[in-house]
Amino acid sequence: MFEFRFSSLLKALLLFTCILGGCEYLSRLDKLKAELAELKTRSDTVRETAELRRQEWNELKTAKGKLDQVEARMAETLRQRDILDIQDRKLTSEVKYWADSMAAAVENTRASAIGTVIPELRLPGRAALYNAKIFKITDDSISFLHEDGVANLHVKTDELPMEFVHKYDLGPKSIHAGLQRLIGELSPPAPSKPDASGKSVGM
Amino acid sequence: MKPPLLSCCLALCLASVSCERHVELKREIAALDAAIKRDEAAIGQYEKDIAALGGSEALSRIVEQAQIKDEQLRPLAFVNAPRERRLKSIETEFAKLKPAAEAFKAAQPK
């Protein structure tokens, strides 16, 4: 006669479930391990690529930073050069104006002095000149006609009284000579200068 | 304890251990996945930045440009400083001469 043995069936079922569960567990474990290994490989590759890109970017950034710095310095230098150009032009025109104006004034003063008679001209270390008449004034001397003949008095040897030196703007320290010297200093031979694009431009 | 109950307990223990192992692996996978995504995002950003500067081949061009500009800059900077000093000295000299010239002109006969 058939007898139902519950405990044996349960044991068999349990055993079957355990085997199935074990298989499923191992299968899923394998899948996860494979996925993990693949991800690790991919992660290494991606990290290496990222590192390469980072290095590339850093090099580019450094080079660009240097270029920007040089360009900024270049712009500043060109700006300074433009300011100096403006300053130079302004100063040159002003000095030229005053030099021309002074030249005319000096010429006028000297011309109007021709023929002036000085009753007594006392000179250091020399005999006094009487009724000295101015007949020529140059940049560093005045020629007089006087009772005893002709006297040509020079500024350089300090023969002329300072009053005349100032009045007729004579000598190397004269205002007119100073202005002319400044014009000479303002117009030195111009060097060729590169523009912003780097081409050489003659002035 | 009866054997069926013991078996049940054993099975539950095994199931719990296996689940825990899976969870650990999944966590590792998720962490790796996140790291990959982060690196990929960084690569994308770097590539975008590199492209904005003209691409990988722009490096040599930029370096060359910087060298050229540097070479242009040197003589310019060398010229500006002495020129500024020269103008300053002329300006000072002119500032002395101008009042003297004005006085001379004012004193000249009309």
Side-chain angles (χ1 to χ4, degrees):
Chain A
M1 188 74 190
F2 174 76
E3 191 185 339
F4 181 78
R5 295 180 69 169
F6 183 77
S7 62
S8 297
L9 183 65
L10 188 66
K11 277 180 195 167
L13 261 173
L14 266 175
L15 188 63
F16 182 67
T17 311
C18 281
I19 290 167
L20 264 180
C23 286
E24 174 64 16
Y25 164 71
L26 288 174
S27 155
R28 280 178 67 191
L29 197 65
D30 279 349
K31 272 186 194 167
L32 286 173
K33 279 184 175 171
E35 196 182 339
L36 189 65
E38 193 195 327
L39 277 176
K40 272 184 180 163
T41 315
R42 202 171 137 214
S43 168
D44 289 345
T45 314
V46 169
R47 199 177 308 126
E48 267 176 38
T49 312
E51 182 59 24
L52 282 173
R53 290 283 176 279
R54 193 182 64 79
Q55 282 177 5
E56 201 178 330
W57 164 242
N58 278 343
E59 281 175 14
L60 254 176
K61 199 170 66 172
T62 310
K64 184 75 171 69
K66 197 179 165 192
L67 177 64
D68 287 347
Q69 273 183 4
V70 173
E71 277 179 344
R73 283 212 313 271
M74 173 74 96
E76 177 58 22
T77 309
L78 288 174
R79 195 183 65 81
Q80 280 177 359
R81 190 191 68 184
D82 290 345
I83 290 171
L84 288 175
D85 280 347
I86 293 167
Q87 205 179 341
D88 199 337
R89 279 197 295 273
K90 193 179 159 200
L91 196 59
T92 303
S93 82
E94 205 175 350
V95 171
K96 271 188 179 158
Y97 164 77
W98 276 98
D100 292 346
S101 168
M102 191 62 196
V106 167
E107 202 180 311
N108 186 31
T109 308
R110 287 178 188 173
S112 64
I114 301 295
T116 306
V117 177
I118 300 146
E120 186 179 351
L121 180 60
R122 294 197 172 275
L123 301 165
R126 280 178 72 140
L129 305 178
Y130 295 99
N131 291 322
K133 187 178 176 185
I134 297 172
F135 77 92
K136 191 179 172 193
I137 303 177
T138 64
D139 280 343
D140 61 356
S141 67
I142 301 180
S143 302
F144 295 95
L145 280 171
H146 57 97
E147 284 180 355
D148 301 322
V150 178
N152 194 20
L153 304 182
H154 290 273
V155 181
K156 275 181 274 186
T157 49
D158 295 336
E159 290 169 317
L160 270 170
M162 284 314 282
E163 180 201 340
F164 286 91
V165 173
H166 290 310
K167 191 173 178 184
Y168 302 117
D169 196 36
L170 304 175
K173 290 181 183 171
S174 68
I175 303 162
H176 176 59
L179 290 169
Q180 288 300 331
R181 197 178 58 248
L182 288 188
I183 288 175
E185 284 177 23
L186 276 166
S187 328
S192 65
K193 56 178 184 179
D195 61 7
S197 67
K199 288 173 187 160
S200 227
V201 178
M203 279 172 75
Chain B
M1 199 180 273
K2 289 179 179 174
L5 188 62
L6 192 69
S7 302
C8 279
C9 285
L10 189 66
L12 278 172
C13 275
L14 279 172
S16 160
V17 168
S18 67
C19 276
E20 203 176 311
R21 176 73 183 130
H22 281 173
V23 166
E24 194 185 317
L25 277 173
K26 278 181 181 169
R27 204 181 300 130
E28 266 186 65
I29 286 170
L32 267 179
D33 207 31
I36 288 171
K37 277 186 182 143
R38 212 172 37 242
D39 284 343
E40 278 176 345
I43 290 171
Q45 188 59 47
Y46 285 136
E47 282 178 349
K48 219 164 93 179
D49 291 342
I50 289 168
L53 287 184
S56 308
E57 63 279 1
L59 180 63
S60 56
R61 185 170 46 82
I62 290 173
V63 169
E64 197 183 335
Q65 269 184 355
Q67 276 175 349
I68 291 170
K69 297 243 172 187
D70 200 37
E71 279 165 20
Q72 287 169 3
L73 181 65
R74 241 172 285 150
L76 271 179
F78 183 72
V79 165
N80 275 357
R83 192 175 171 209
E84 193 177 354
R85 281 197 299 274
R86 185 172 59 84
L87 281 177
K88 274 258 168 1
S89 121
I90 291 172
E91 241 174 11
T92 311
E93 186 72 17
F94 181 59
K96 285 181 202 161
L97 287 172
K98 196 178 164 184
E102 278 172 340
F104 184 90
K105 279 174 76 178
Q108 75 171 299
K110 301 287 176 205

